[in-house]
Amino acid sequence: MLLAGTVVADPETVYEEGAVVVADDRIAAVGPRAEVEDAYPDHAVREFDLLAPGLVGGHVHSVQSLGRGIADDTALLEWLFEHVLPMEAGLGEREMRVAAELGYLELLESGTTTAIDHLSVRHADAAFEAAIDLGIRGRMGKVLMDKRAPEGLEEDTDAALDETERLVQMYHGAADGRIGYAVTPRFAVSCTEACLRGAREIADRYDGVRIHTHASENEEEVETVREDTGMRNIAWLDEVGLTGDDVVLAHCVHTTERERDILERTGTHVTYCPSSNMKLASGIAPVVDYLDRGIDVALGNDGPPCNNTLDPFTEMRQASLLQKVDRLDPEATPAQVVFEMATLGGARAAGFERVGALREGWTADVIALDTDLTRATPLHDPLSHLVFAAHGDDVTFTMVDGEVAYDAAFGGLQTGDADAIRRRAREVAADLRE
């Protein structure tokens, strides 16, 4: 298949009249359209306005999708313990499948092809199966909580780690490598030292398994960890083995100089979630400092109850503007930097090689957007448009691993029944409210 249009191949490369050739699950060629068509004259051609690499959600909660709007205008720990975790506790296996499907549908419809997904304590199998079936690329894990968890979510430490290991053996590398496992403690507030150290031990036993948790999102959280351990959050995670180039820490809003040194020294990845941090009034992550230190920064939406959208384009815009106003510097986080966070930075965090750019030999994760819009007129700079003006509902085509998952020209979702997913989600959400 030859995909033609304006091609944003990566943060530095744009072909105004470009083309991408997909063969099986790989990109066979990318470049100026005339050259590509000469080299591949027999490929069927699809015309699009704007083509780009699939975006990477560096931290999402797909299974919180049924809780969109249930806990607006609350601070993090109240939001989590009084609203969101009780909702998660009410999700049985069927409800978990519906919640995951709804989350993945929104991601695919809005151009996210890869997600680092923080699931829930129970029924993680249902979310893994949904990801496999709907065709998204996922780095996913069952949540670990062995203290301070509400009824229905707190687990025995050994049982939680045993279940994690079962899931690793079942799903890590599934769907021809499209699904990878991340051992997923909720955060240090709700995990014992034994649980955190056990998470590291499991990750070390399996090649390519990563660790994904929250850290230093909120000042009350940081203080709670200090009271429990005598250490600040990042320092404590480093002490128990949860830093390193296989670790993704969501948020990292409140960090000291010493903690930033730890992140830099260990090669730990950070996911910046600006909309969530604003909505929960958590603060502004020191992203420019992280980038200046060479720390890899991904970009994430977090969950629908604290955002309330999984639109990655909205997140790119917020990511740049928040840093500019925080530093009073209009040159902070330009479009190229933010687009790299949302693509290559996220792929590095997720641990997927040859993902996050349109390059020969790389994985065929491709999206297309409509630009026949007032909001896209005139279109002087395609990269600027993607970061500052585009919306998720501009996406018309989403390909993951060379397979078309979403195609507006052919009815939308190609890997499931979107209307049925939305209908089931409304029914389950109504039951949860009751």
Side-chain angles (χ1 to χ4, degrees), residues 316-333:
M316 283 195 285
R317 176 181 169 87
Q318 303 281 48
S320 180
L321 300 188
L322 187 58
Q323 293 297 312
K324 291 177 188 296
V325 75
D326 180 52
R327 298 178 69 88
L328 299 179
D329 179 4
E331 296 183 358
T333 53

Side-chain angles (χ1 to χ4, degrees), residues 242-249 262-270 295-296:
L242 299 197
T243 54
D245 63 4
D246 62 349
V247 177
V248 184
L249 299 182
I262 291 171
L263 295 173
E264 179 182 355
R265 171 177 53 79
T266 59
T268 303
H269 306 268
V270 170
I295 296 168
D296 182 50

Side-chain angles (χ1 to χ4, degrees), residues 24-37:
D24 298 322
D25 63 346
R26 295 287 158 180
I27 295 171
V30 59
R33 178 172 181 170
E35 295 178 12
V36 172
E37 285 187 322

Side-chain angles (χ1 to χ4, degrees), residues 66-77:
L66 297 175
R68 193 189 319 265
I70 65 168
D72 292 341
D73 309 318
T74 56
L76 172 66
L77 296 187

Side-chain angles (χ1 to χ4, degrees), residues 82-100:
E82 296 186 21
H83 301 280
V84 173
L85 291 183
M87 179 205 69
E88 285 189 21
L91 299 178
E93 184 176 3
R94 172 179 175 269
E95 292 82 4
M96 189 67 71
R97 169 78 188 211
V98 170

Side-chain angles (χ1 to χ4, degrees), residues 25 74 76 113 158 173 211 227 229 236 249 260-261 306 316 330 333 385 412 428:
D25 63 346
T74 56
L76 172 66
T113 55
D158 290 339
I211 295 171
E227 291 173 356
T229 69
W236 172 242
L249 299 182
R260 296 177 201 183
D261 287 343
C306 65
M316 283 195 285
T333 53
H385 173 74
V428 169

